[in-house]
């Protein structure tokens, strides 16, 4: 049974049998082991929630257990015991009682345990007590994310159109499928939690790989579509439970052996879902459990692109009109000019535009703390391969599926097959001039904000070069402040790039360290070079 929390007044489960653990040698007929129905019931008159047990074909309940004082223990795959320690609800004195519950199948047992915990949680929070004033409380997600942003976010991912866009990213979907199926040993017979399940496609992949059971957690209305898709694949769906809610708020009946998710946004961290992935790890993943993916890398390199720089600058020409219907617009030109450069550019670019070999910053999802993702500070250091104008910093990411059988990378690198993430470039309003062999230093500082994204502070500087350069200092510096939430999507404006004759020694694609999909040619996480100009989060 799929459970949607927060919309229940009455919920029932069929039981193969129920028997009371009698306190004496004699057991009455009313406590004999017989088929029964278990009802979760919100009793507004008493201001409490109860678990009521009723024999099949009987109209009255033979037992009522108050959830505030009850505990449920699993004895086996289809057998549990429920103990009520005693209460004073509705002025009726009750004493400790215990019942053995036998379920028809293992899935019923899992669903019952999940519902029991949800109803018990409601009791502890007072949500079923109508005559009490309950203080407002926010989940961790609500505390750090503004409601308007969350509403738009879940509305976006609740639409099939956008799910289709991601499913049709065959690099993304195909890599996930390969990573799961090539590592069947990690999934076979295991409990899996799919964080941000969306359409449920990754849950279905996990079930195909032999997962014992999958909990597909999805907070948007896409959960209903996921239920339909999973129900339409019954040979897999009987091992998948859709749980509608945020990982910060829901409860699950058991720990997971595997977490699977697609938490990556633009520049890896946009949308701040990585934080939810980490929270799910801390709440639901068993010790020694695995995460798919297990780590991510943000790659960065300076680039030169005169076409892009001029294109952005020209967007502000409108505000240079001194007589627009008799109005002078020029006072706003500088603000419009700077505003255009505050937008990161999302598109696919030619890797020959890179001016130096990239460096990368690693985020180990298995170890990073949620708070570490609130602020990400990356020192930058490059050696220019050509003499040119540097227009900013190009960025992309990849993630590692660190399976027991096969390691596989999913990359968004320039020159690799394009994904729906494309690449991202931070363009500076003031270019830098560099010579071949000159050192470029800087800093990429990202600060999370409550619109589910980051403010980017970028600084690049050139240092003296040639004889005596070690005694020299900074020659030129350029800085910019950009909002990752408001990018300039440029994907439809592909540009035929040409390399000027005076740059015939420019960096070639083979000089760029771009991870590829073939695991045999990708570096394991433990073997990542330590001279990458960055460090683990």
């Amino acid at each position: 049974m799929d459970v949607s929390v927060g919309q229940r007044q009455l919920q029932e489960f069929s039981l193969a049998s129920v028997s009371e653990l009698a306190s004496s040698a004699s057991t009455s007929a009313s406590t004999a082991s017989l088929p029964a129905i278990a009802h979760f019931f919100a009793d507004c008159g008493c201001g409490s929630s109860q678990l009521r047990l009723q024999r099949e074909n009987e109209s009255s309940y033979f037992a009522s257990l108050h959830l505030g004082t009850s505990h449920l223990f699993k004895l086996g795959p289809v057998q549990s015991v429920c103990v009520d320690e005693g209460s004073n609800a509705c002025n009726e004195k009750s004493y400790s009682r215990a019942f053995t519950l036998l379920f028809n199948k293992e899935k019923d047992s899992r669903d019952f345990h999940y519902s029991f915990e949800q109803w018990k949680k409601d009791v502890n929070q007072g949500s079923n007590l109508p005559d009490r004033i309950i203080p407002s409380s926010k989940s961790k997600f609500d505390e750090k994310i503004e409601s308007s942003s969350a509403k738009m976010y879940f509305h976006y991912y609740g639409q099939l159109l956008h799910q289709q866009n991601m499913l049709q990213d065959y690099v993304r979907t195909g890599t996930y499928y390969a990573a799961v199926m090539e590592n069947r040993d990690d999934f076979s017979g295991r409990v899996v939690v799919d964080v941000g399940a969306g359409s449920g496609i990754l849950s279905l992949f996990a079930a195909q790989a032999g997962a014992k059971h999958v909990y597909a957690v999805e907070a948007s209305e896409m959960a209903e579509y996921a239920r339909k898709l999973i129900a339409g694949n019954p040979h897999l769906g009987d091992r998948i439970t859709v749980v509608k809610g945020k990982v910060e708020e829901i409860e699950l009946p058991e720990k997971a052996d595997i977490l699977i998710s697609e938490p990556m946004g633009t520049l890896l961290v946009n949308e701040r879902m990585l934080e939810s992935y980490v929270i799910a790890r801390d709440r639901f993943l068993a010790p020694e459990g695995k995460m798919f993916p297990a780590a991510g890398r943000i790659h960065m390199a300076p680039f030169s692109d005169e076409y892009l720089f001029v294109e952005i600058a020209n967007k502000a020409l409108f505000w240079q009109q001194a007589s627009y219907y008799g109005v002078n617009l020029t006072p706003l030109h500088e603000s419009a000019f700077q505003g255009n450069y505050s937008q990161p550019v999302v598109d696919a670019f030619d890797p020959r535009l890179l001016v130096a070999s990239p460096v990368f910053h690693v985020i180990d999802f298995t170890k990073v703390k949620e708070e570490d993702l609130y602020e990400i500070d990356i020192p930058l250091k490059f050696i220019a391969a050509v003499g040119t104008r540097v227009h900013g910093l190009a960025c992309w990411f990849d993630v590692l599926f660190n399976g027991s059988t096969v390691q596989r990378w999913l990359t968004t690198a320039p020159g690799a097959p394009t994904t729906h993430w494309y690449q991202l470039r931070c363009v500076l309003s003031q270019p830098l001039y560099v010579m071949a062999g000159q050192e470029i230093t800087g800093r990429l500082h990202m600060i999370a904000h409550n619109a589910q994204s980051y403010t980017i502070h970028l600084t690049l500087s050139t240092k003296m070069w040639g004889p005596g350069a070690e005694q020299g200092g900074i020659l030129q510096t350029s800085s910019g402040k950009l909002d990752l939430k408001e990018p300039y999507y440029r994907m439809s404006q592909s540009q035929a790039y040409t390399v000027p004759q005076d740059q015939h020694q420019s960096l070639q694609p083979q000089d760029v360290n771009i991870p590829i999909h073939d695991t045999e040619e990708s570096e394991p996480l433990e073997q990542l070079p330590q001279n990458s100009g960055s460090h683990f989060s």
Side-chain angles (χ1 to χ4, degrees):
M1 173 182 291
D2 294 336
V3 179
S4 180
V5 181
Q7 298 179 347
R8 55 189 183 271
Q9 294 297 325
L10 176 67
Q11 191 176 18
E12 64 180 41
F13 291 84
S14 295
L15 305 174
S17 68
V18 174
S19 59
E20 183 171 5
L21 298 177
S23 57
S24 62
S26 62
T27 303
S28 65
S30 65
T31 61
S33 178
L34 295 171
I37 299 174
H39 299 268
F40 290 103
F41 183 78
D43 190 340
C44 295
C46 297
S48 67
S49 291
Q50 301 177 2
L51 171 61
R52 295 180 176 181
L53 304 177
Q54 177 184 358
R55 302 295 181 201
E56 287 188 354
N57 303 321
E58 292 184 6
S59 58
S60 60
Y61 301 105
F62 68 84
S64 294
L65 290 75
H66 300 283
L67 293 177
T69 57
S70 294
H71 304 278
L72 185 63
F73 304 94
K74 181 171 285 195
L75 302 181
V78 294
Q79 189 177 37
S80 300
V81 63
C82 187
V83 179
D84 186 354
E85 295 180 344
S87 67
N88 274 311
C90 294
N91 298 317
E92 292 182 4
K93 182 69 176 179
S94 63
Y95 299 90
S96 178
R97 305 177 71 184
F99 294 85
T100 299
L101 311 179
L102 186 65
F103 299 91
N104 291 299
K105 52 186 179 180
E106 190 173 348
K107 183 177 186 300
D108 293 344
S109 173
R110 281 193 296 265
D111 291 343
F112 183 88
H113 273 257
Y114 174 71
S115 293
F116 184 92
E117 292 301 322
Q118 291 300 310
W119 280 83
K120 190 173 178 67
K121 179 181 176 182
D122 284 351
V123 172
N124 294 335
Q125 293 178 345
S127 60
N128 286 323
L129 306 181
D131 56 346
R132 287 180 56 188
I133 299 176
I134 308 300
S136 61
S137 61
K138 292 185 176 181
S139 71
K140 199 167 190 179
F141 180 90
D142 294 330
E143 287 177 348
K144 64 185 181 182
I145 302 299
E146 63 182 26
S147 59
S148 59
S149 175
K151 183 177 179 180
M152 290 299 296
Y153 175 76
F154 291 123
H155 173 74
Y156 179 90
Y157 285 107
Q159 299 179 58
L160 281 174
L161 175 66
H162 301 302
Q163 293 293 329
Q164 178 179 335
N165 179 47
M166 292 184 288
L167 289 173
Q168 288 182 316
D169 180 345
Y170 299 113
V171 175
R172 164 199 180 267
T173 307
T175 304
Y176 266 90
Y177 181 77
V180 172
M181 302 309 290
E182 290 170 345
N183 291 286
R184 288 174 179 268
D185 290 346
D186 290 327
F187 288 84
S188 182
R190 304 296 203 279
V191 175
V192 178
V193 173
D194 182 358
V195 181
S199 65
I201 190 69
L202 300 185
S203 296
L204 289 162
F205 288 172
Q208 286 184 48
K212 177 183 177 182
H213 196 78
V214 184
Y215 295 95
V217 182
E218 174 58 40
S220 78
E221 294 305 314
M222 187 53 56
E224 302 305 323
Y225 291 109
R227 288 186 173 118
K228 290 182 180 180
L229 183 62
I230 290 166
N233 293 268
H235 61 296
L236 302 172
D238 61 354
R239 288 180 283 129
I240 302 174
T241 298
V242 177
V243 182
K244 185 179 181 183
K246 304 182 185 76
V247 294
E248 293 86 352
E249 300 171 5
I250 59 103
E251 300 292 339
L252 296 177
E254 54 189 326
K255 291 290 186 178
D257 303 299
I258 298 278
L259 284 191
I260 191 168
S261 182
E262 195 263 77
M264 301 89 73
T266 308
L267 195 57
L268 183 61
V269 296
N270 188 37
E271 298 179 349
R272 298 183 64 180
M273 190 180 165
L274 278 179
E275 295 167 35
S276 295
Y277 190 37
V278 169
I279 290 171
R281 177 201 69 193
D282 295 340
R283 297 193 65 206
F284 304 132
L285 189 62
E288 309 304 321
K290 298 186 74 68
M291 299 176 74
F292 276 61
R297 302 188 296 190
I298 300 174
H299 298 255
M300 299 144 288
F303 73 93
S304 179
D305 190 343
E306 293 287 351
Y307 292 109
L308 177 61
F309 179 78
V310 173
E311 177 186 323
I312 294 177
N314 286 346
K315 289 167 65 178
L317 288 178
F318 171 82
W319 299 97
Q320 284 190 325
Q321 299 180 80
S323 182
Y324 181 74
Y325 293 96
V327 177
N328 182 9
L329 300 181
T330 58
L332 296 181
H333 173 260
E334 180 62 25
S335 297
F337 181 84
Q338 295 298 332
N340 291 335
Y341 285 97
S342 71
Q343 292 184 282
V345 176
V346 176
D347 68 350
F349 65 83
D350 191 316
R352 289 175 295 178
L353 296 175
L354 300 179
V355 173
S357 296
V359 298
F360 59 79
H361 175 79
V362 178
I363 301 177
D364 186 342
F365 303 151
T366 68
K367 298 177 182 178
V368 67
K369 297 178 181 178
E370 177 200 354
E371 293 76 13
D372 295 338
L373 298 172
Y374 293 172
E375 186 171 352
I376 302 171
D377 197 7
I378 306 174
L380 303 172
K381 183 178 180 180
F382 310 96
I383 301 297
V386 296
T388 187
R389 289 214 306 175
V390 171
H391 294 105
L393 190 72
C395 307
W396 60 94
F397 70 87
D398 52 28
V399 293
L400 171 66
F401 299 94
N402 195 20
S404 300
T405 304
V406 175
Q407 286 187 331
R408 182 169 284 273
W409 290 92
L410 168 59
T411 183
T412 65
T418 303
T419 70
H420 77 283
W421 290 286
Y422 296 88
Q423 292 99 42
L424 180 137
R425 287 184 286 175
C426 299
V427 185
L428 295 169
S429 60
Q430 178 60 54
L432 300 173
Y433 294 85
V434 298
M435 297 296 291
Q438 189 173 3
E439 185 176 282
I440 305 170
T441 59
R443 178 188 187 201
L444 182 68
H445 187 203
M446 298 187 288
I447 303 174
H449 58 65
N450 61 6
Q452 291 176 275
S453 195
Y454 287 78
T455 300
I456 300 173
H457 299 271
L458 171 65
T459 300
L460 290 179
S461 302
T462 56
K463 297 186 72 174
M464 291 186 66
W465 74 100
E470 61 275 8
Q471 280 80 41
I474 299 297
L475 283 180
Q476 188 182 12
T477 295
S478 184
S479 300
K481 179 181 177 182
L482 306 95
D483 188 354
L484 188 57
K485 179 77 172 183
E486 301 292 341
Y488 167 34
Y489 291 102
R490 190 173 175 258
M491 292 85 71
S492 61
Q493 302 182 27
S494 58
Q495 176 68 54
Y497 293 100
T498 58
V499 181
Q501 291 298 315
D502 60 352
Q503 291 189 23
H504 62 279
Q505 295 181 341
S506 61
L507 201 66
Q508 298 300 308
Q510 60 266 28
D511 297 324
V512 182
N513 181 24
I514 300 174
I516 59 177
H517 291 311
D518 294 337
T519 306
E520 292 76 17
E521 297 182 46
S522 297
E523 299 173 279
L525 184 62
E526 294 79 4
Q527 298 177 11
L528 295 179
Q530 298 303 308
N531 61 346
S532 62
S534 189
H535 55 278
F536 278 84
S537 291

